[in-house]
């Protein structure tokens, strides 16, 4: 039976194709030592007021800081937004290239009037990128009137970025496309890498609209400011159980940028976090870790490990020149997660991302009652997921694509058309003597993906933390088990 093509499936395929294209393009470029080509100024309002005086929607940067405050701001269509900073060289550049303040300046003002509703990302080209470091979001609301029908209740943005010291986040929920009748929707904050009570405080609420009311409603989340150096953390806002109208955009990811030297920008800490951490099974008792330094000033690295369901514990300290470590004397057929951080006489960097690895299991046929059997049963694939660390772990629903022997789909619900993850095993033996593995996902759930070579017991593992949508992956070194 031919499987029905769905929008999520098309989105997954597009993500995977884009990932492969980007990785091929990257092979022709050498990032180290490359000159930054800053955008030319453009797209702004003429003669912004000094210090953004008199502008209601103002974004500032503290003297010497590397975060926008507020990092997320909501305005009405036709309202200007003004940025101002001094003391450190910054600029403001739209993620889509539609506006820029130009090359970095130690003191600057930039203003843009947003006339079209939507969500517009921006970043500093010195200290950030569209996805990390010094970045932010402008949310532009529609000012149009209501229409016939009850309309939709939806989040004004699917992405919010907050500085740890910003105090509170006001999440905007809109009623669009109509205002007939009363309407309600439940709203709640779910923990991810940011923990409820530790990093943020929010109570579940029900937002209400009267008949004819199409005004926006807000949901307040308090952001807690600690003094710990830590990586950027995230949690999720969700809308559920609407009455009197349907739900539109129902999920938003909130990223909290650290202001104590451990955040994603890495610009206020003496040490930046190690990057590119990878964990690969080597035998039934060994997993090998590799990474990039992140900072040439590091005096060494501290390595931590946790088993599934456990807490991280330090297992080793290695010298500054080390770029690999083999964790040995482990039980067979077991999954572990790892992270590390750099250290010097002043303290520690932020943690690296989390990498998962597995020791070899026993060769055994693929069990199609519990897993997807790919490449005529040579590889066995499973996906476990949960919405947050407080949730129960579940097995994802599997959908085999009989027309493509190496590919399969996973759904994080019982609905067959709710496909959120695409997995593909490719025979690259003629190219580099390895089987390759590709995957793409359109979910911010916690994921643990396992692919086992049934002939050797070697297992490939990938971990994605809750609250973060994984980037598409092509691993051309996944299995050195040809033929």
């Amino acid at each position: 039976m031919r499987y029905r093509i769905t929008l999520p499936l098309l989105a997954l395929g597009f993500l995977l194709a884009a990932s492969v294209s980007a990785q091929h393009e990257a092979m022709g470029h050498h990032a180290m030592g490359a000159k930054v080509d800053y955008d030319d100024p453009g797209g702004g309002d003429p003669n912004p007021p000094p210090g953004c005086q008199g502008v209601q929607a103002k974004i500032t940067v503290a003297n010497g800081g590397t975060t926008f405050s507020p990092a997320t701001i909501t305005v009405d269509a036709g309202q200007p937004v003004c940025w101002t900073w001094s003391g450190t060289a910054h600029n403001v550049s739209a993620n889509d290239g539609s506006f820029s303040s130009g090359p970095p300046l130690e003191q600057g003002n930039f203003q843009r009037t947003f006339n079209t509703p939507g969500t517009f990302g921006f970043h500093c080209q010195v200290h950030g990128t569209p996805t990390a470091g010094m970045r932010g979001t402008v949310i532009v609301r529609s000012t149009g009137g209501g229409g016939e029908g009850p309309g939709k209740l939806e989040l004004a943005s699917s992405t919010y970025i907050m500085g740890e010291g910003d105090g509170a986040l006001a999440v905007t929920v809109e009623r669009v496309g109509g205002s007939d009748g009363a309407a309600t929707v439940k709203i709640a904050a779910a923990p991810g890498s940011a923990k409820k009570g530790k990093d943020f405080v929010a109570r579940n609420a029900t937002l209400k609209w009267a008949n004819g009311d199409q005004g926006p409603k807000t949901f307040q989340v308090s952001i807690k400011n600690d003094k710990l150096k830590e990586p950027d953390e995230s949690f999720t806002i969700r809308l559920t159980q609407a009455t009197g109208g349907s739900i539109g955009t129902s999920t938003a990811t909130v990223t909290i940028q650290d202001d104590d030297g451990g955040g994603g920008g890495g610009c206020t800490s003496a040490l930046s976090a190690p990057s590119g951490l990878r964990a690969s099974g080597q035998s039934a008792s060994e997993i090998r870790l590799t990474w990039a330094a992140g900072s040439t000033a590091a005096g060494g690295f501290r390595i931590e490990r946790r088993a599934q369901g456990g807490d991280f514990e330090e297992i080793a300290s290695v010298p500054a020149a080390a770029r690999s470590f083999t964790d040995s004397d482990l039980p067979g057929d077991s999954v572990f997660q790892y992270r590390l951080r750099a250290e010097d006489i002043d303290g520690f960097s932020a943690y690296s991302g989390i990498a998962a690895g597995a020791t070899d299991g026993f060769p055994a046929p693929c069990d199609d009652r519990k897993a997807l059997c790919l490449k005529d049963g040579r590889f066995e694939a499973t996906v476990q997921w949960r919405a947050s660390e407080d949730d129960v772990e579940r097995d994802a629903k599997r959908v085999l694509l009989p027309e493509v022997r190496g590919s399969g789909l996973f759904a994080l619900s019982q609905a067959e058309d709710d496909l959120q993850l695409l997995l593909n095993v490719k025979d690259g033996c003629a190219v580099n003597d390895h089987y390759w593995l590709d995957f793409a996902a359109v979910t911010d759930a916690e994921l643990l993906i396992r692919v086992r070579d049934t002939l050797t017991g070697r297992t490939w593992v990938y971990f994605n933390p809750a609250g973060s949508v994984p980037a598409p992956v092509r691993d051309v070194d996944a299995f050195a088990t040809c033929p």
Side-chain angles (χ1 to χ4, degrees):
M1 186 174 101
R2 185 175 297 275
Y3 194 79
R4 182 176 54 180
I5 298 296
T6 66
L7 184 58
L9 176 55
L10 292 174
L12 290 168
F14 174 78
L15 281 173
L16 196 55
S19 170
V20 172
S21 175
Q23 291 180 37
H24 281 214
E25 181 180 353
M27 293 178 183
H29 294 80
H30 200 297
M32 299 299 293
K35 181 181 178 182
V36 178
D37 185 15
Y38 296 110
D39 295 335
D40 293 329
D45 299 341
N47 304 318
C52 297
Q53 290 183 345
V55 181
Q56 182 180 0
K58 180 167 69 173
I59 297 174
T60 63
V61 181
N63 189 14
T66 54
T67 58
F68 292 107
S69 181
T72 299
I73 194 166
T74 301
V75 298
D76 293 326
Q79 185 177 352
V81 176
C82 188
W83 290 259
T84 184
W85 65 90
S86 63
T88 303
H90 299 297
N91 73 344
V92 177
S93 179
N95 295 351
D96 62 4
S98 59
F99 60 86
S100 173
S101 64
L105 298 172
E106 291 188 1
Q107 182 169 346
N109 286 323
F110 181 74
Q111 179 175 297
R112 176 178 172 85
T113 298
F114 292 84
N115 294 311
T116 305
T119 300
F120 304 88
F122 62 89
H123 63 282
C124 169
Q125 291 181 292
V126 182
H127 303 105
T129 69
T131 59
M134 189 173 175
R135 66 199 192 279
T137 306
V138 176
I139 302 167
V140 184
R141 299 182 298 219
S142 172
T143 57
E148 295 183 357
K152 289 192 302 183
L153 308 176
E154 63 181 19
L155 293 161
S157 176
S158 60
T159 304
Y160 290 88
I161 302 170
M162 294 291 293
E164 193 178 46
D166 286 348
L169 166 67
V171 177
T172 302
V173 181
E174 298 179 325
R175 186 180 192 181
V176 298
S179 59
D180 290 345
T184 67
V185 69
K186 293 184 181 296
I187 185 168
S193 55
K195 304 305 179 188
K196 200 169 187 177
K198 175 179 177 290
D199 300 302
F200 69 94
V201 178
R203 292 186 177 183
N204 297 354
T206 300
L207 305 179
K208 300 178 181 180
W209 287 259
N211 179 32
D213 179 9
Q214 202 175 14
K217 310 299 179 184
T218 57
F219 175 66
Q220 295 288 332
V221 181
S222 297
I223 306 299
K224 302 188 74 171
N225 190 4
D226 56 35
K227 300 301 181 184
L228 301 175
K229 293 183 178 181
E230 54 192 352
D232 293 350
E233 298 169 313
S234 61
F235 63 95
T236 303
I237 303 291
R238 290 193 174 95
L239 298 182
T240 59
Q241 299 180 39
T243 66
S246 61
I247 295 181
T249 303
S250 62
T251 304
T253 299
V254 182
T255 300
I256 304 174
Q257 294 181 321
D258 183 70
D259 61 2
D260 300 301
C267 300
T268 60
S269 173
L271 293 176
S272 54
S275 61
L277 179 62
R278 180 181 175 125
S280 304
Q282 301 296 296
S283 68
S285 62
E286 295 177 317
I287 295 175
R288 185 170 185 263
L289 309 181
T290 58
W291 64 87
S295 177
T296 57
F301 299 96
R302 300 286 186 97
I303 301 171
E304 298 182 7
R305 178 189 69 206
R306 71 178 177 188
Q308 281 187 276
D311 297 322
F312 276 108
E313 297 181 356
E314 185 173 313
I315 59 169
S317 176
V318 297
R323 298 294 180 269
S324 65
F325 172 78
T326 298
D327 190 14
S328 56
D329 297 324
L330 298 171
D333 195 23
S334 299
V335 175
F336 295 93
Q337 295 171 10
Y338 298 87
R339 68 183 184 184
L340 73 156
R341 55 182 173 171
E343 65 172 337
D344 63 10
I345 59 174
D346 295 322
F348 297 98
S349 74
Y351 283 107
S352 68
I354 297 173
T359 51
D360 291 353
F362 295 102
C366 179
D367 185 351
D368 61 7
R369 298 169 302 171
K370 301 179 180 178
L372 273 185
C373 298
L374 305 176
K375 288 288 185 185
D376 298 324
R378 171 68 186 267
F379 295 95
E380 179 185 82
T382 61
V383 175
Q384 292 176 302
W385 72 278
R386 57 182 178 174
S388 70
E389 289 190 354
D390 298 327
D391 197 8
V392 177
E393 204 167 58
R394 302 175 178 88
D395 292 326
K397 182 178 175 65
R398 307 174 302 278
V399 178
L400 186 65
L401 297 176
E403 299 93 341
V404 188
R405 296 183 302 116
S407 296
L409 298 159
F410 291 85
L412 308 192
S413 73
Q414 293 305 308
E416 278 203 352
D417 59 352
D418 188 23
L419 302 171
Q420 294 172 289
L421 192 147
L422 169 66
L423 192 64
N424 176 63
V425 177
K426 179 179 175 62
D427 185 347
C429 295
V431 179
N432 67 342
D433 204 32
H434 283 70
Y435 283 96
W436 301 2
L437 199 145
D438 303 329
F439 90 87
V442 286
T443 176
D444 65 349
E446 179 180 296
L447 301 172
L448 184 65
I449 304 168
R450 292 190 239 193
V451 181
R452 180 177 66 92
D453 184 344
T454 61
L455 295 185
T456 67
R458 179 63 48 87
T459 302
W460 182 95
V461 184
Y462 179 87
F463 173 78
N464 181 71
S468 173
V469 178
V473 169
R474 160 158 284 188
D475 186 352
V476 299
D477 298 312
F479 292 97
T481 55
C482 292

